[in-house]
Amino acid sequence: MLFRQLFDPESSTYTYVLADPATRQAALIDPVLEQAERELALLAELELTLTHVLETHVHADHVTAAGRLRERTGCRLVASAQGASCADLHVRHGDEVKVGGLTLQVLATPGHTDDSLSYHVEGRVFTGDALLIRGTGRTDFQNGDAGQLHDSITQVLFALPGETLVYPGHDYQGHRVTTIAEERRFNPRVAGKDRAAFIALMAQLRLPPPKKLAIAVPANRACGLLPAA
Amino acid sequence: MLFRQLFDPESSTYTYVLADPATRQAALIDPVLEQAERELALLAELELTLTHVLETHVHADHVTAAGRLRERTGCRLVASAQGASCADLHVRHGDEVKVGGLTLQVLATPGHTDDSLSYHVEGRVFTGDALLIRGTGRTDFQNGDAGQLHDSITQVLFALPGETLVYPGHDYQGHRVTTIAEERRFNPRVAGKDRAAFIALMAQLRLPPPKKLAIAVPANRACGLLPAA
């Protein structure tokens, strides 16, 4: 698999390129609107054809490039059945998405938001904001639910092999990747804590709202294509 | 090989962890002083023993954590014979550095600075500021030399197999990695340009001096251990 991790410094968002080297078909996971031209330039240089954009969830901290990329390339947009209605393909737990010869397995990992998905392919899992490196997504808006997030992390993601590489939707400390084994042992929000303790911890975080919440959520429900002024 | 890429957002510097999974011996390439505790925490969690810190060159944009890490762990510091005199091991083109069962090959790649080295190991090359992703280091201080940098890139680095993964010392556009094949084709400073054109291009860049130049260079010549006030 051809693989690239890209970073948007404004929102600290990771975007991923996955491609099948044989067919040159490629997918992007969680592209950011302001970086759409960067991603298109890289795909062109690598001689890849974008066939799918996959969203891990309706983001609250940045606007997706999904709609823009569909307009430019004709690719298909993939999201949760609970996610953006403008997607071409609504997927749920257990579904598979084929990108050339690659098969991505869809895992429902709700709790950060009700539509949160992870994608598992060839020893890597893309966890969006469900599981971060030594952290988790917040659970205080967009139908977030701390108990549900604890279940998603400990029962769905931690059930993957320990050596699985975990690629999250964000990192704010300069880390790039972790493994399931590391997060089982060292994730301070879940390691050695039961479900009730996790719920109590998340309830007392009292984080400020994301800066782009009011703009990003409605924009992302429209695949990043903002309503005409 | 166990491998991690880490990022320092202030200086946009990449630091690399390379380790031999069998012996748990590890090296860091280009650690940043302000991130020393982050790196030590990660090494401890991964149950790795730091045996070497390798510098690609005397940096002008950040202070190295090398001396701090040597104090804390007893590791050996590796630098060019033209680099910091406080290093334990001065290496030159063709030398090898053993980290557990890993063998890093030293490539002299001067031109950004006169002491610039790259390290090649198991299909990856760590190029410091000689070769960046679609860019190169500047050549206007610390005995930089554009002709020498062109030779280093086109004759030393581009002689590696095309599929070699290139991990640079910095990136400012959110890219993480490239390949030798990509840089041969798409690096705008060298692709399709001869040595004279590269020298002319570098001569007219007129970049402002790095913010930390006056602090970082003397500090790094002392392995990042600043003289007592």
Side-chain angles (χ1 to χ4, degrees), chain A residues 4 7 45 134 176 182, chain B residues 4 45 134 176 182:
Chain A
R4 290 292 164 90
F7 187 64
E45 288 182 346
R134 310 293 189 269
R176 298 277 162 265
E182 275 176 60
Chain B
R4 290 291 165 91
E45 288 182 347
R134 310 293 190 268
R176 299 277 161 266
E182 274 176 61

Side-chain angles (χ1 to χ4, degrees), chain B:
Chain B
M1 181 168 80
L2 194 157
F3 174 68
R4 290 291 165 91
Q5 182 179 41
L6 297 153
F7 187 64
D8 174 58
E10 194 199 332
S11 61
S12 295
T13 298
Y14 285 123
T15 295
Y16 299 96
V17 181
L18 315 179
D20 170 13
T23 62
R24 312 307 291 175
Q25 296 192 5
L28 285 170
I29 297 177
D30 289 341
V32 174
L33 183 59
E34 290 80 359
Q35 303 290 357
E37 296 307 316
R38 179 188 68 181
E39 301 354 2
L40 288 167
L42 181 62
L43 291 166
E45 288 182 347
L46 298 178
E47 299 174 340
L48 299 174
T49 301
L50 185 67
T51 61
H52 295 81
V53 166
L54 300 105
E55 298 284 4
T56 56
H57 62 295
V58 173
H59 306 280
D61 54 3
H62 68 271
V63 175
T64 178
R68 171 83 56 91
L69 292 166
R70 179 168 59 183
E71 286 180 348
R72 294 283 296 276
T73 68
C75 70
R76 302 183 76 195
L77 306 191
V78 182
S80 162
Q82 281 83 49
S85 59
C86 51
D88 301 291
L89 191 59
H90 287 100
V91 293
R92 58 188 72 239
H93 190 84
D95 284 351
E96 292 183 346
V97 179
K98 302 268 186 192
V99 178
L102 302 175
T103 301
L104 285 72
Q105 292 171 318
V106 178
L107 304 174
T109 50
H112 167 60
T113 62
D114 57 359
D115 71 318
S116 288
L117 301 176
S118 296
Y119 299 101
H120 184 217
V121 55
E122 297 194 2
R124 291 179 167 97
V125 64
F126 301 89
T127 55
D129 295 3
L131 179 61
L132 305 177
I133 300 172
R134 310 293 190 268
T136 72
R138 59 198 289 174
T139 55
D140 56 339
F141 56 76
Q142 282 180 272
N143 305 317
D145 182 307
Q148 207 174 38
L149 182 57
H150 190 269
D151 296 342
S152 292
I153 293 171
T154 59
Q155 295 173 28
V156 179
L157 295 170
F158 285 1
L160 296 171
E163 65 273 21
T164 308
L165 295 168
V166 176
Y167 287 96
H170 301 283
D171 190 81
Y172 305 93
Q173 268 85 46
H175 290 280
R176 299 277 161 266
V177 65
T178 179
T179 65
I180 291 293
E182 274 176 61
E183 296 308 313
R184 285 184 198 139
R185 283 186 67 188
F186 300 120
N187 191 302
R189 290 195 179 172
V190 287
K193 285 195 179 66
D194 67 12
R195 194 173 192 272
F198 181 76
I199 293 170
L201 172 71
M202 297 306 285
Q204 51 89 35
L205 285 181
R206 305 197 191 289
L207 299 167
K211 276 180 287 185
K212 288 198 176 180
L213 179 66
I215 296 165
V217 171
N220 289 333
R221 292 206 171 276
C223 291
L225 299 172
L226 299 162

Side-chain angles (χ1 to χ4, degrees), chain A residues 1 3 31 34 49 58 62 67 82 97 124 132 159 163 178 180 187 195 201 210 220:
Chain A
M1 181 168 80
F3 174 69
E34 290 80 359
T49 301
V58 172
H62 68 272
Q82 281 84 49
V97 179
R124 291 178 167 98
L132 304 177
E163 65 274 21
T178 180
I180 290 292
N187 191 302
R195 194 175 193 272
L201 171 70
N220 289 331

